[in-house]
Amino acid sequence: PMKEKSTGILFPKLCNGFSLAGMGVRYKYGFVQVYAVGSYFDSNASIALRGSSKDAIEKVLLDPMYPRTIRIVMARNLSIQKFTDALNESLEPRMKGEDLEKLDEFRKLNPAVDLIKGAEMELTIRGDTLLYKNATGAVGMIRSAVFTRALCDVYYGKDAVSPTHKESVLEGILNL
């Protein structure tokens, strides 16, 4: 496994058949570590991107047609309400008024149990489909290109929720 340096949280090199491209931390208020996040991509994506510019790689990261898994590991205890509210607040403006009912669908995929330090969630994006494994291990699905595109923007866009994660992925995706 690889260790995310700020939190010490370990990430396996493989997740759902994808290879670890990079890791980082989601901070709140600039210093409170909320969770560590790692991104996993198909190693074929790495081969296709060799020699590409940073802009070209960013376009790929923003395109949900390139399958990936985003693995989140909690660095602290947090209510599930706060977790889903924060993610939905990041997603909603990026969805530009479309498919907003998917935010409620996402909320309902999480059981009403609070997240503890070390709890893990996996978001696997394939085109218009999100397969979501919640902290209790249950898997649910959301089908919406608007939702998956917004989710990619949350983690890889200009205002990514974890800039350290995005930078790590931009560097690491070429070395899968």
Side-chain angles (χ1 to χ4, degrees), residues 102-141:
K102 301 299 180 184
L103 297 173
D104 270 341
E105 277 184 44
F106 178 74
R107 184 180 309 282
K108 290 174 185 163
L109 292 178
N110 290 286
V113 295
D114 289 341
L115 299 169
I116 59 168
K117 184 176 180 175
E120 301 175 17
M121 282 115 350
E122 293 175 3
L123 301 97
T124 300
I125 298 169
R126 291 180 185 274
D128 69 351
T129 304
L130 169 72
L131 288 177
Y132 177 66
K133 185 166 115 183
N134 69 29
T136 63
V139 177
M141 182 173 75

Side-chain angles (χ1 to χ4, degrees), residues 16-28:
N16 299 330
F18 298 129
S19 301
L20 181 62
M23 304 166 283
V25 182
R26 169 72 164 107
Y27 288 96
K28 189 71 178 169

Side-chain angles (χ1 to χ4, degrees), residues 5-172:
K5 60 182 182 256
S6 298
T7 60
I9 291 171
L10 297 176
F11 283 83
K13 290 188 178 176
L14 293 174
C15 181
N16 299 330
F18 298 129
S19 301
L20 181 62
M23 304 166 283
V25 182
R26 169 72 164 107
Y27 288 96
K28 189 71 178 169
Y29 311 117
F31 63 92
V32 177
Q33 295 176 344
V34 181
Y35 58 79
V37 56
S39 285
Y40 296 80
F41 287 85
D42 187 329
S43 53
N44 291 334
S46 169
I47 294 164
L49 287 169
R50 293 223 168 98
S52 296
S53 69
K54 188 174 176 181
D55 286 348
I57 296 169
E58 284 182 331
K59 280 192 178 109
V60 166
L61 294 179
L62 289 168
D63 186 346
M65 296 309 290
Y66 290 88
R68 86 267 330 253
T69 294
I70 300 166
R71 183 171 177 265
I72 293 171
V73 182
M74 298 306 296
R76 61 185 307 107
N77 296 345
L78 189 70
S79 76
I80 193 65
Q81 176 90 32
K82 281 187 177 169
F83 175 78
T84 54
D85 283 354
L87 194 51
N88 283 350
E89 282 169 20
S90 295
L91 287 164
E92 186 176 358
R94 291 167 163 97
M95 293 172 70
K96 299 177 174 61
E98 295 181 62
D99 281 358
L100 294 179
E101 71 280 2
K102 301 299 180 184
L103 297 173
D104 270 341
E105 277 184 44
F106 178 74
R107 184 180 309 282
K108 290 174 185 163
L109 292 178
N110 290 286
V113 295
D114 289 341
L115 299 169
I116 59 168
K117 184 176 180 175
E120 301 175 17
M121 282 115 350
E122 293 175 3
L123 301 97
T124 300
I125 298 169
R126 291 180 185 274
D128 69 351
T129 304
L130 169 72
L131 288 177
Y132 177 66
K133 185 166 115 183
N134 69 29
T136 63
V139 177
M141 182 173 75
I142 293 177
R143 185 153 291 173
S144 163
V146 171
F147 188 89
T148 57
R149 189 168 298 281
L151 197 54
C152 288
D153 193 66
V154 165
Y155 287 99
Y156 312 105
K158 284 182 178 40
D159 293 316
V161 296
S162 172
T164 57
H165 165 254
K166 178 184 170 183
E167 286 307 312
S168 175
V169 172
L170 279 169
E171 290 173 26

